[in-house]
Amino acid sequence: MKTSIYTIAIICFFRLGTAQTVDSLPPISASKSYSNYCKVIGWESGRTPKAPPGFTVTKYADGFENPRWMYVTPNGDVLVAQSNSNYPLWKKIGAWIIGASKSKSFKDSADRITLLRDTNGDGTPDQRTVFLDKELDQPFGMLVLDDWFYVANTNGLLRFPYRPGQLQITGAAEKVADLPAGKINQHWTRNIIANPDGTKIYVAVGSGSNYGEKGPDPEFMKASILEVNPDGSALKVFAAGLRNPVGMDWNPVSGELWTAVNERDGLGNDLVPDYMTSVRKNGFYGWPYVYFGQNKDPRVDWTPLAQIEKTLIPDVDLGSHTASLGLTFYTSESFPEKYRNGAFVVQHGSWNRQVLSGYKVVFVPFANGRPAGEPEDFLTGFIVDLQNDEVYGRPVGAALLPDGSMLITDDVTNTIWRVSWGR
């Protein structure tokens, strides 16, 4: 059954929550906003990112075109979505002039999903195939559910017939649901995850703009996590006010859905913090009107007071402009005890901060299903020289392998790193 977003006439703008305020944030006037694109120099001479003592970091695979996201199938295959923004020529030229082209690939989206298989269990894939390269439009989130392989294009949720262990998708696509996109589509990624019993799929949809500067109409059903049945029916907003939610995972202790969110730009070096938060059904998290509670964005003049009063405060501050994207709870037993049931967050890194921030993977400790400490550095070494804004690469997503090791994509160097415990 196909569902169109345009058949949905009403979004409920009044969410459950508690009116709160965070007073520790700096004032908007504390610093100006910067455009400070990093310079990517790549990894040379066997150099790798750095993990804490006792861990080993190795190159798992390379030779991709913007490897953004990964999904590990039930039989242990690793699927890699290769996608990118489709930049108009004028923007590519402008990026070259200001130096932004050094920070990322400005090639059009490869629109390809690659399968990697480690047949002998040595920690390195020895089989590689093009899993899917048809009917894709900036693919990102992937999911195997029952006898279907789902993939989220920027403008729709597709599914294909799937058999466990197959090396390539051969069946025809079924578009089960339209997803909001359109011309104003700044945050084009669409991540997906199913609930544990497979009865619902959740879709993370970023805002079309920075702070709603184009008005409310282009933001219809954006800056939200949507909920939909596997057949595409009953598409609706599950939680709203999330500027750009990307990574999603289920808390293994509490059973809650959690997400990592990129907040707005243009308010200074230290505003607004990206965050990680539990996601409450019908919850509202502030965008575009307010941030981190009831801190009002003065640029937004279409502000419903009733909405602000119900804003929820995020759970974990991840630092401003860190571009926190990947999120995975560590549910294996290979890593030391301190990491179990905690969360790893992958920070792609800033482009609009005077001093670079992010460019690493952080670990958030949990106890009894709740955050139990500040984020701590886990995978570092991406930054070469802060003074010259040089970096080796930019991490994006994380996935756990059946053996308990963790994979990290590095999209600008077309590399996937593997982090394992021991030698």
Side-chain angles (χ1 to χ4, degrees):
M1 176 180 179
K2 293 185 178 181
T3 300
S4 170
I5 63 171
Y6 303 108
T7 63
I8 301 174
I10 299 175
I11 301 178
C12 178
F13 281 104
F14 297 92
R15 309 295 179 187
L16 300 175
T18 302
Q20 303 177 75
T21 302
V22 173
D23 298 322
S24 59
L25 298 179
I28 290 174
S29 60
S31 69
K32 68 177 185 178
S33 182
Y34 288 84
S35 289
N36 183 26
Y37 292 91
C38 68
K39 304 175 184 68
V40 180
I41 66 173
W43 304 91
E44 300 175 349
S45 305
R47 188 184 298 274
T48 69
K50 299 176 182 178
F55 288 91
T56 300
V57 181
T58 56
K59 182 182 292 187
Y60 185 75
D62 59 10
F64 302 96
E65 291 183 67
N66 296 108
R68 289 278 184 150
W69 215 241
M70 296 174 291
Y71 176 77
V72 180
T73 67
N75 69 301
D77 290 336
V78 179
L79 302 180
V80 185
Q82 297 162 81
S83 51
N84 198 11
S85 299
N86 286 319
Y87 298 96
L89 181 59
W90 66 266
K91 194 166 187 178
K92 294 177 183 178
I93 294 173
W96 178 80
I97 292 172
I98 66 175
S101 59
K102 297 179 181 179
S103 72
K104 62 192 299 184
S105 169
F106 277 82
K107 295 180 180 179
D108 288 339
S109 181
D111 292 347
R112 182 186 310 117
I113 298 174
T114 296
L115 180 146
L116 304 174
R117 179 175 293 173
D118 179 4
T119 61
N120 58 11
D122 67 351
T124 302
D126 47 79
Q127 197 165 10
R128 177 171 179 157
T129 64
V130 176
F131 185 71
L132 180 62
D133 62 356
K134 62 181 181 180
E135 302 189 61
L136 298 179
D137 184 0
Q138 295 176 291
F140 196 78
M142 297 162 284
L143 172 67
V144 170
L145 187 59
D146 297 326
D147 296 324
W148 299 99
F149 171 70
Y150 290 81
V151 59
N153 281 340
T154 192
N155 59 1
L157 180 63
L158 307 184
R159 69 179 182 182
F160 299 81
Y162 174 79
R163 301 183 314 277
Q166 71 181 86
L167 293 171
Q168 186 177 37
I169 291 292
T170 56
E174 176 187 358
K175 189 175 186 179
V176 298
D178 290 325
L179 298 177
K183 292 182 179 180
I184 301 175
N185 197 34
Q186 178 175 330
H187 302 115
W188 54 267
T189 63
R190 308 287 183 255
N191 191 21
I192 55 176
I193 190 172
N195 62 358
D197 63 9
T199 58
K200 299 289 183 182
I201 295 174
Y202 297 88
V203 187
V205 179
S207 63
S209 60
N210 179 24
Y211 57 89
E213 61 269 26
K214 303 296 184 179
D217 291 344
E219 305 298 347
F220 181 67
M221 294 189 82
K222 292 185 178 181
S224 300
I225 292 178
L226 309 180
E227 180 187 80
V228 64
N229 292 330
D231 66 358
S233 62
L235 179 67
K236 63 181 180 180
V237 174
F238 180 76
L242 300 154
R243 178 179 177 268
N244 186 25
V246 183
M248 294 186 292
D249 202 1
W250 298 100
N251 185 312
V253 176
S254 70
E256 299 169 308
L257 180 64
W258 281 68
T259 188
V261 178
N262 289 203
E263 253 291 355
R264 68 203 75 198
D265 303 318
L267 295 181
N269 271 327
D270 300 312
L271 288 176
V272 171
D274 293 343
Y275 59 84
M276 171 185 172
T277 191
S278 55
V279 183
R280 185 182 301 182
K281 182 178 180 180
N282 295 326
F284 179 73
Y285 293 83
W287 191 90
Y289 321 116
V290 292
Y291 55 87
F292 258 82
Q294 295 186 27
N295 296 282
K296 189 178 185 304
D297 189 327
R299 301 169 296 184
V300 183
D301 56 9
W302 42 288
T303 306
L305 294 178
Q307 185 81 328
I308 293 177
E309 293 173 355
K310 299 177 184 293
T311 299
L312 298 169
I313 291 182
D315 291 288
V316 181
D317 182 334
L318 294 173
S320 296
H321 309 302
T322 56
S324 295
L325 301 178
L327 166 64
T328 186
F329 281 95
Y330 191 78
T331 54
S332 298
E333 297 183 355
S334 174
F335 288 8
E337 179 68 29
K338 69 167 286 186
Y339 296 103
R340 294 173 195 171
N341 298 327
F344 289 100
V345 180
V346 187
Q347 300 185 329
H348 198 220
S350 62
W351 63 268
N352 55 345
R353 195 167 186 272
Q354 186 176 22
V355 178
L356 299 181
S357 61
Y359 300 94
K360 60 186 175 182
V361 179
V362 298
F363 173 72
V364 180
F366 273 64
N368 301 316
R370 299 299 304 167
E374 297 295 319
E376 56 189 63
D377 289 356
F378 178 77
L379 193 66
T380 60
F382 288 86
I383 294 177
V384 183
D385 185 341
L386 283 176
Q387 185 173 354
N388 293 316
D389 301 318
E390 291 181 341
V391 302
Y392 291 116
R394 303 185 71 184
V396 183
L400 298 183
L401 290 176
D403 66 2
S405 61
M406 182 168 62
L407 299 181
I408 303 293
T409 53
D410 181 343
D411 65 336
V412 294
T413 65
N414 299 315
T415 303
I416 298 176
W417 301 104
R418 177 175 178 259
V419 184
S420 58
W421 174 250
R423 299 294 176 183

